[in-house]
Amino acid sequence: GNQRPPLWSAGVKTMSERKDFEMDMRKRGEPMFADSTQEFILQLNKAIMHKNIYDIQTLYEHDFERQTSKFYKTTPWPSVGAIEKLVGKDENFLILYKQLYYRHLYGRKLAVDLPNQLISYQNYLDLFNIILGLRTEAPEFEIPGVWLWDIIDEFVWQFRAFHVFRSEVQARGPESCKEDRSLLEQRPHAWSAQTVIVFLKYLAKKGKMSQGETGKPHTLFETLSVYACIGMLRVNCAMGDYIGGIESMRDVDASGKHEQVMVPAAHASLHYYLSFAYLMTRRYADCVKCAVDGLTYLSRNKALIPRTYQQSNINKMQEQMYGILALATSLVPQRLDENLASGVQDRFASQMQQMRKMDLDAYRQLFEAVCPKLIPMCMEPAGNKHAENPLELQLAVFLDEVRAVFRVPDIYSYLKMCTAINVDRLTSFLGEKDGSLARKLLYLKHRTQSGSLYAENKKKEEKRPEGTPQPRSKETSSSEMQFVVSEEMVHVTEKRQVKQHADFFIREILRYEYIVADVDNFRRISYF
């Protein structure tokens, strides 16, 4: 039952047709590819035609990686023209295959010149137009969630890669790269931020508009809608529009109804980029909560992370979220779970010690390590001026904030040692000028207030008259220490943290489950 049909049963059916196929490949100057590769192409085409989602996922996740590792480590996959001779003029399949083809080129760091970047861009637009035109209740074809995520992930990645390439062309001066400059002038809107965001918005809306008989959108559109929102978050963060990135996530409930439709790589990407956006908008309490949620999810679902190229991306984002926690808690101290606190300390002990002394070099090094890759703000291709380094621009903004909160951690330390203290005495302890302490106390109070985005999402589901503004969630303090200033006195109250012994047992149970899962993986077929 699980045995695959013969190679030529889905496409070329006779030996004469096979010889014609091979002869045509020679005439075109195309290298012949292995029988197993041809079988993979035909089986994938057949699975997509019959909307067999399980076969598609198996072929995509496992067989594609096997074929790549065996035959295409340093060479491209067969061209679309060669595949067309094998499967016929199946537009949907050829567009999906072309997406795989260019993802492999970028992923293996093979030569991707400007014409290929533009072809890949047009192919994405064609693919998205096909998806947007599918029937809402019973789409003409199915794509598994892991492939949908890779489509959005690669779309955003290639968007950034194009703008990096464009800035490099610009930096070389008007006399060099004349062909590339001419092509860029002919296609001024290729990979433009406006076009990328507009298509992602349409894909996000498709999931909201597509309501089936059950009153819920089809899984394909619901999943793609969530991924498109994460894509918008990433694009906005890459351009430095952190408020726009946060706004794009208002319809995503990562810890609720959308948790099950998201693959681990999507969870990691969402929490990493969103926590960084909160860090840059100075919402430190929300930043910590978001990073904690992401790290907790990855810790609990370690066994679900596939052993593919996404594994290294997830591990990198996990380390960066620990770095974001270190930055946020150094600026505005907050209590962390014991495991997370030890994780931060193990990774950044020396930097944390230096940041407590407000060492700007320590902040700079850690910020550069956790910052996502940004898009250069280019001039026109024909211009001579080199674009400024976007990382340096964002770093300057962040360090200005660090200088503004100078001595806030010291204030926090003094307040923890008392239940009430005179404002003048606290001012003398800190060596502050008259009036500056009140401003910093207010800053500390404000930065430890958190309004949960997830709570806002739940409120958003409530029916309200059209045009009624979205109510803000009630802000609560995320710090274990609270204080008020009254009549020249600072009154401090501290939350008592009751040690939960259940946490220890949960951690040990999870450790045991991970060990069992790892043992089971040895008995299964390798992913590679």
Side-chain angles (χ1 to χ4, degrees):
N2 294 328
Q3 189 175 6
R4 291 180 179 174
L7 170 62
W8 304 105
S9 64
V12 184
K13 297 179 181 179
T14 66
M15 290 302 295
S16 62
E17 287 176 329
R18 179 173 183 175
K19 288 179 181 179
D20 291 342
F21 169 71
E22 292 177 354
M23 187 177 296
D24 185 73
M25 291 285 287
R26 292 192 190 98
K27 287 180 180 179
R28 294 164 57 91
E30 296 272 2
M32 283 300 299
F33 44 94
D35 285 353
S36 60
T37 301
Q38 296 175 29
E39 182 181 359
F40 164 77
I41 296 296
L42 293 168
Q43 291 295 328
L44 183 60
N45 182 34
K46 182 180 179 181
I48 291 175
M49 283 194 300
H50 291 84
K51 298 197 289 187
N52 192 329
I53 194 73
Y54 299 106
D55 282 356
I56 297 172
Q57 181 160 345
T58 300
L59 289 163
Y60 175 78
E61 279 196 288
H62 303 158
D63 291 37
F64 180 73
E65 291 295 331
R66 287 197 193 100
Q67 291 293 316
T68 298
S69 299
K70 191 172 183 180
F71 300 110
Y72 307 106
K73 280 187 176 180
T74 57
T75 58
W77 269 71
S79 68
V80 177
I83 299 303
E84 185 176 351
K85 287 292 181 181
L86 193 62
V87 302
K89 295 184 180 294
D90 185 339
E91 182 184 5
N92 292 347
F93 178 78
L94 292 175
I95 287 176
L96 286 170
Y97 175 79
K98 195 183 289 188
Q99 190 273 330
L100 287 178
Y101 176 86
Y102 282 105
R103 197 195 84 190
H104 172 256
L105 281 186
Y106 278 94
R108 295 287 171 171
K109 298 182 179 178
L110 302 173
V112 184
D113 55 13
L114 181 57
N116 275 322
Q117 294 183 50
L118 297 177
I119 293 171
S120 179
Y121 166 71
Q122 187 59 51
N123 187 69
Y124 270 111
L125 300 192
D126 294 340
L127 175 59
F128 292 153
N129 279 320
I130 288 173
I131 292 174
L132 291 170
L134 293 176
R135 292 194 299 265
T136 56
E137 294 186 6
E140 287 80 354
F141 65 84
E142 295 271 7
I143 304 176
V146 63
W147 195 350
L148 286 174
W149 168 249
D150 287 345
I151 287 172
I152 298 297
D153 179 52
E154 187 69 14
F155 180 58
V156 175
W157 196 94
Q158 290 185 23
F159 162 70
R160 181 196 166 274
F162 173 83
H163 284 276
V164 171
F165 175 86
R166 190 169 181 262
S167 67
E168 290 173 353
V169 170
Q170 172 192 332
R172 290 172 189 163
E175 297 303 321
S176 61
C177 308
K178 289 184 179 179
E179 292 183 3
D180 288 339
R181 286 176 177 274
S182 175
L183 197 52
L184 287 170
E185 289 174 357
Q186 294 171 25
R187 299 287 301 276
H189 301 296
W191 285 113
S192 69
Q194 294 90 339
T195 305
V196 168
I197 290 177
V198 163
F199 268 92
L200 290 173
K201 281 185 177 179
Y202 281 138
L203 292 172
K205 288 181 180 178
K206 181 76 174 179
K208 301 172 194 173
M209 296 164 55
S210 305
Q211 304 293 330
E213 295 179 358
T214 60
K216 294 183 179 180
H218 190 279
T219 304
L220 170 67
F221 301 122
E222 181 183 19
T223 305
L224 191 58
S225 175
V226 174
Y227 292 164
C229 290
I230 300 174
M232 284 190 284
L233 167 66
R234 291 175 54 178
V235 170
N236 280 297
C237 285
M239 296 189 299
D241 182 7
Y242 303 108
I243 294 176
I246 293 170
E247 289 295 323
S248 68
M249 296 305 299
R250 289 196 174 274
D251 293 321
V252 178
D253 187 1
S255 60
K257 65 180 181 180
H258 292 139
E259 180 176 5
Q260 298 303 318
V261 303
M262 295 168 59
V263 295
H267 272 282
S269 188
L270 184 156
H271 289 98
Y272 164 59
Y273 283 94
L274 188 56
S275 60
F276 186 81
Y278 282 140
L279 177 72
M280 294 303 292
T281 52
R282 304 169 189 173
R283 292 173 61 175
Y284 300 117
D286 289 325
C287 169
V288 169
K289 184 182 185 308
C290 185
V292 166
D293 287 348
L295 291 170
T296 302
Y297 172 86
L298 294 176
S299 175
R300 290 178 178 173
N301 295 276
K302 182 180 178 182
L304 298 178
I305 299 175
R307 294 180 179 178
T308 64
Y309 76 98
Q310 288 286 12
Q311 186 179 36
S312 60
N313 293 341
I314 293 172
N315 292 339
K316 181 180 178 181
M317 286 187 283
Q318 187 175 25
E319 294 300 310
Q320 288 175 312
M321 279 190 277
Y322 275 113
I324 290 172
L325 276 182
L327 288 174
T329 54
S330 69
L331 291 172
V332 178
Q334 299 175 58
R335 185 181 292 275
L336 295 176
D337 174 79
E338 183 180 342
N339 277 346
L340 293 174
S342 63
V344 171
Q345 191 65 26
D346 291 342
R347 290 166 172 81
F348 309 107
S350 59
Q351 290 97 322
M352 291 290 289
Q353 188 174 3
Q354 292 172 335
M355 287 190 294
R356 290 190 189 101
K357 301 175 183 177
M358 303 306 290
D359 185 341
L360 293 183
D361 286 335
Y363 278 104
R364 180 181 292 104
Q365 292 174 9
L366 192 51
F367 182 86
E368 290 175 350
V370 306
C371 183
K373 293 180 179 179
L374 305 170
I375 294 175
M377 298 302 172
C378 295
M379 304 290 287
E380 289 301 316
N384 296 322
K385 185 178 178 181
H386 179 53
E388 294 187 70
N389 186 339
L391 177 59
E392 293 297 327
L393 294 174
Q394 298 301 316
L395 178 60
V397 173
F398 178 74
L399 292 181
D400 285 344
E401 173 68 7
V402 173
R403 295 185 186 98
V405 303
F406 183 68
R407 302 304 301 276
V408 166
D410 292 339
I411 295 172
Y412 187 87
S413 300
Y414 276 112
L415 292 179
K416 284 190 69 175
M417 293 189 294
C418 57
T419 56
I421 186 172
N422 186 275
V423 173
D424 293 335
R425 177 168 295 182
L426 182 58
T427 302
S428 64
F429 284 158
L430 295 166
E432 294 287 331
K433 297 178 181 178
D434 293 339
S436 63
L437 179 62
R439 184 176 68 253
K440 292 179 178 178
L441 285 172
L442 182 61
Y443 181 95
L444 179 60
K445 186 80 171 177
H446 175 63
R447 290 295 181 242
T448 55
Q449 299 298 309
S450 170
S452 173
L453 181 65
Y454 306 134
E456 292 176 11
N457 286 337
K458 290 179 181 178
K459 284 189 176 184
K460 200 168 185 181
E461 295 175 2
E462 299 173 0
K463 292 184 178 180
R464 300 186 307 279
E466 187 174 353
T468 304
Q470 166 67 26
R472 294 286 298 178
S473 59
K474 183 179 180 181
E475 293 192 340
T476 58
S477 176
S478 61
S479 174
E480 73 270 20
M481 183 194 67
Q482 300 181 34
F483 64 89
V484 294
V485 181
S486 177
E487 296 181 357
E488 300 301 319
M489 292 291 293
V490 181
H491 300 275
V492 183
T493 59
E494 187 173 359
K495 298 178 183 178
R496 295 291 179 183
Q497 296 291 329
V498 180
K499 192 170 182 65
Q500 299 292 333
H501 298 289
D503 292 343
F504 171 80
F505 292 104
I506 291 172
R507 287 196 300 269
E508 294 304 310
I509 291 169
L510 288 173
R511 278 186 58 197
Y512 176 76
E513 288 180 351
Y514 295 153
I515 294 171
V516 172
D518 287 339
V519 171
D520 287 342
N521 284 334
F522 284 111
R523 300 172 184 171
R524 296 174 186 168
I525 299 174
S526 173
Y527 282 94
F528 298 96

